[in-house]
């Protein structure tokens, strides 16, 4: 099963990449952009998606400073 | 409108992070993982989501070596 993990800085943790992008966009003419956050995307295929949360805790994310969201193909019907 | 941009290495481009994760997971007891790819996640709020593709081309992604997928809140009904 294909699983997608979205990893982003926790609220309150410095998001330097997001701040940098948010400051750079107006200089390129994109003035109406707010709340930019940059995180990581991990896509993988796994037989037992129940273990993906454990993978996040142990390797994929840093649970002290990052939140993660696990999206399985079945739960994500809008995407083809 | 909230927009999520998923950026990943194009097929055929070296994905060193993905390979590293794929090799590390079995050492932690996760044996059934395949096709790991690591990319970036950019979340932002924008009034005119039609311009997000242009932002990707000009700043968020490197279109020579990366593909991007734009997911708007409306098109992504499975997520709350």
């Amino acid at each position: 099963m294909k699983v997608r993990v979205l990893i982003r800085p926790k609220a309150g943790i410095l998001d330097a990449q997001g701040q940098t992008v948010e400051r750079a966009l107006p200089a390129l003419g994109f003035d109406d952009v707010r709340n930019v956050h940059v995180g990581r995307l991990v896509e993988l295929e796994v037989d037992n998606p129940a273990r993906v949360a454990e993978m996040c805790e142990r390797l994929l994310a840093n649970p002290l400073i990052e939140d993660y969201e696990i999206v399985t193909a079945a739960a994500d019907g809008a995407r083809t």
Side-chain angles (χ1 to χ4, degrees), chain A:
Chain A
M1 179 180 280
K2 284 194 181 186
V3 178
R4 182 175 283 177
V5 181
L6 310 177
I7 301 166
R8 56 179 77 84
K10 278 183 192 284
I13 298 286
L14 177 67
D15 179 1
Q17 280 185 286
Q19 289 183 359
T20 303
V21 170
E22 191 163 336
R23 287 177 197 164
L25 284 169
L28 294 172
F30 303 103
D31 290 318
D32 63 345
V33 182
R34 301 170 301 281
N35 292 331
V36 181
H37 296 286
V38 177
R40 290 198 308 288
L41 164 71
V42 181
E43 293 179 316
L44 47 84
E45 285 181 42
V46 64
D47 294 332
N48 180 6
R51 297 197 72 193
V52 175
E54 190 186 345
M55 292 179 203
C56 290
E57 295 284 339
R58 294 186 62 191
L59 181 72
L60 303 181
N62 179 344
L64 295 176
I65 60 171
E66 292 172 325
D67 287 325
Y68 55 86
E69 176 184 350
I70 299 168
V71 185
T72 58
D76 192 22
R79 196 162 298 125
T80 53

